Amino acid sequence: MSNFIFSINVTAPIFLMMLLGYILKKLKIISDGFVSAANKYVFVTALPVMLFKDIAYTDIVDNIKGSFVLFCMLVTISMFLLVWLLSYLFLKDKRLVGAFAQAGARGSAAVLGVAFVENICGNAGMAPMMIVSAVPFFNILSVIILTFSEGLGKETSLSREEAARKKKANIKKAFFNILKNPIIIGIFTGLVFSASGLDMPKIPGKMIDYISSTATPIALLAIGGGFNRKEAVTRLKPAFAASFVKLIALPAVFLPLAAFIGFGPSEMAAILVMLASPTTVSCYVMAENMGNDRVLTSNVILLTTILSSLTLTGWVFILKVAGLL
């Protein structure tokens, strides 16, 4: 029951903030211009600073565990590629492939990871190391998927030479999108700062705290403000499918593998958050800014946020009964 109450306490404010954004837009207190500017601010500034803070303040050198880091990296890559392949094969509307693949694989590990693991284990355990191992790949793979999926379903028939040129251009575009992506820059500068062993000076540290604290609430207001009921109805079926993949299918595939390897309770709790947490709000920000379907993305965020209090609690119960937590 305590885990269910915790899950509700985590997910309910997220849903209510999105609802507030929707209400404020209906009351004309915020406008489309605000939603657009908020999305850009979160993408370029707030989220990168938040991720920098999460990683920079983690003692990577002392907490590193090779087998756990390798597992998180390989599972992250595997689940993204698996969902991307399945979405490309089975989605009739190819314009939805990028949004479906990103939202179906990318959870709120950085936002919920430490808090959830602390509630289960009594301390942060391996959550910070999971964030360092998985979150950079969350973002790199999201950039690759969104870049190659942009424009799918819209192109006319191309000659073999034109198709080859387009493929080459997409590879180049994906490479430069990774290099200039603000979220990825925030993650890697955080890694460098953490590895340096330096202490953050008080004044910039306070400013970083202020900026990072704006990332989630502003992103949630923007999601709610950009929500369109008529558009959302057209994306319900793929949204439910992506939510099932995110909350149930991926944990069902990879948690038994983690148990077979023999990870302890702290590692299992962190892996659970990596696999089964609700879709992160940064999916919406990246889909919106990289020409992919924002409506499907916002639907999946909303559904996984509502349902995760039940599914996460269910997974915790299963792992506890199995003696893995």
Side-chain angles (χ1 to χ4, degrees):
M1 180 60 72
S2 63
N3 286 314
F4 176 73
I5 293 171
F6 174 79
S7 299
I8 291 291
N9 286 337
V10 168
T11 56
I14 295 173
F15 170 74
L16 291 174
M17 282 296 293
M18 287 191 281
L19 180 62
L20 176 62
Y22 179 77
I23 293 171
L24 292 177
K25 177 70 182 305
K26 284 294 182 182
L27 295 175
K28 302 187 185 310
I29 295 173
I30 62 175
S31 63
D32 289 332
F34 171 86
V35 171
S36 177
N39 278 320
K40 190 167 185 180
Y41 163 74
V42 172
F43 181 68
V44 174
T45 306
L47 267 177
V49 171
M50 185 186 77
L51 290 169
F52 169 84
K53 176 189 171 184
D54 287 342
I55 294 172
Y57 295 172
T58 299
D59 192 345
I60 297 172
V61 176
D62 290 343
N63 290 307
I64 195 164
K65 182 177 179 181
S67 60
F68 178 75
V69 169
L70 185 62
F71 179 86
C72 291
M73 290 168 57
L74 292 178
V75 166
T76 297
I77 294 169
S78 299
M79 68 182 185
F80 267 84
L81 295 181
L82 178 63
V83 178
W84 190 15
L85 174 63
L86 292 175
S87 63
Y88 186 81
L89 292 176
F90 292 106
L91 279 176
K92 292 181 180 179
D93 189 347
K94 301 305 180 189
R95 294 173 298 176
L96 305 180
V97 167
F100 186 102
Q102 183 194 205
R106 185 177 180 185
S108 305
V111 177
L112 302 181
V114 174
F116 200 84
V117 174
E118 281 180 346
N119 185 68
I120 297 171
C121 300
N123 57 66
M126 295 299 290
M129 191 51 53
M130 177 273 292
I131 292 170
V132 170
S133 306
V135 171
F137 288 97
F138 279 15
N139 289 275
I140 290 171
L141 291 164
S142 293
V143 169
I144 292 171
I145 288 170
L146 294 175
T147 299
F148 279 91
S149 300
E150 184 182 2
L152 275 180
K154 299 177 183 178
E155 64 267 28
T156 56
S157 57
L158 299 174
S159 67
R160 184 175 298 178
E161 292 78 11
E162 289 172 327
R165 282 198 298 271
K166 183 178 179 182
K167 184 177 181 181
K168 185 177 179 181
N170 278 339
I171 293 172
K172 183 178 179 181
K173 185 178 180 182
F175 176 75
F176 283 108
N177 279 343
I178 290 170
L179 290 181
K180 68 182 184 181
N181 184 276
I183 296 173
I184 294 174
I185 292 171
I187 289 169
F188 279 101
T189 52
L191 286 170
V192 171
F193 188 87
S194 176
S196 72
L198 297 172
D199 292 326
M200 179 67 67
K202 189 170 183 179
I203 293 176
K206 198 68 175 176
M207 185 176 178
I208 287 170
D209 289 342
Y210 287 150
I211 295 172
S212 66
S213 67
T214 67
T216 300
I218 291 181
L220 292 172
L221 285 176
I223 292 172
F227 184 76
N228 184 305
R229 284 186 301 167
K230 291 181 181 178
E231 289 181 334
V233 170
T234 66
R235 304 287 194 270
L236 279 181
K237 188 175 179 180
F240 274 107
S243 299
F244 174 82
V245 168
K246 181 72 203 73
L247 299 177
I248 298 174
L250 291 177
V253 170
F254 292 108
L255 281 175
L257 178 60
F260 176 78
I261 291 172
F263 288 120
S266 180
E267 288 93 345
M268 290 298 296
I271 291 167
L272 172 63
V273 172
M274 181 183 79
L275 294 170
S277 58
T279 300
T280 178
V281 295
S282 58
C283 283
Y284 179 89
V285 177
M286 287 186 66
E288 172 77 4
N289 282 272
M290 295 185 67
N292 282 256
D293 197 284
R294 63 178 178 81
V295 177
L296 174 58
T297 306
S298 64
N299 278 5
V300 178
I301 292 170
L302 182 64
L303 285 172
T304 56
T305 297
I306 294 170
L307 297 174
S308 63
S309 58
L310 298 174
T311 56
L312 269 173
T313 304
W315 284 117
V316 169
F317 177 77
I318 291 169
L319 293 178
K320 282 189 172 181
V321 169
L324 297 170
L325 286 181

